[in-house]
């Protein structure tokens, strides 16, 4: 017997707004029943994948995440980093190397870190 990851829970100050950001990042819609001001909002998963579940909490984020998401873009890593910066992410650390290896560490609008890895086309080049 095994367990299946149902969702990845993310504590936040504004569940709806942060879920909207991640909906745009992933291209996945919000749950049809979720509305602005809801304390719990879900970004629906791709078939078979876990949902992103945003839960409003009173305390702010204060330290580095112990768990974070790593994204593998469909476009190039550089194109995806620029797109994400354009929708509200911030660059936390640039771990990209001159030879194309590495990743970029970004933060969502509430400061939760995540990584953008090389795409399949980046890796093939």
């Amino acid at each position: 017997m095994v367990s299946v990851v149902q969702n990845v829970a993310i504590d936040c100050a504004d569940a709806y707004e942060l879920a909207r950001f991640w909906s745009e990042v992933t291209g996945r819609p919000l749950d049809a029943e979720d509305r602005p001001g809801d304390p719990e909002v879900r970004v629906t998963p791709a078939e078979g994948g876990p949902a992103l579940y945003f839960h409003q909490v009173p305390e702010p984020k204060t330290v580095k995440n112990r768990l974070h998401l790593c994204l593998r873009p469909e476009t190039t890593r550089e194109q995806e980093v620029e797109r994400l910066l354009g929708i509200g992410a911030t660059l936390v650390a640039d771990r990209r190397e001159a030879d194309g290896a590495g990743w970029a560490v970004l933060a969502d609008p509430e400061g939760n870190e995540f990584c953008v890895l090389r795409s399949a086309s980046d890796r093939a080049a």
Side-chain angles (χ1 to χ4, degrees), residues 1-8 45-51:
M1 294 191 163
V2 299
S3 294
V4 174
V5 176
Q6 180 69 36
N7 63 54
V8 176
E47 189 173 322

Side-chain angles (χ1 to χ4, degrees), residues 58-85:
E59 64 277 354
K61 179 186 176 299
T62 57
V63 297
K64 182 181 183 284
N65 302 6
R66 294 297 301 250
L67 173 77
H68 67 265
L69 302 177
C70 292
L71 307 177
R72 181 146 342 257
E74 294 176 349
T75 62
T76 68
R77 179 185 54 210
E78 279 60 40
Q79 289 172 317
E80 185 65 352
V81 166
E82 289 306 312
R83 182 181 81 85
L84 297 173
L85 293 173

Side-chain angles (χ1 to χ4, degrees), residues 28-48:
R28 303 298 309 161
L30 298 180
D31 187 280
E33 296 180 12
D34 291 333
R35 300 287 179 263
D38 285 351
E40 299 172 350
V41 179
R42 189 173 84 109
V43 174
T44 61
E47 189 173 322

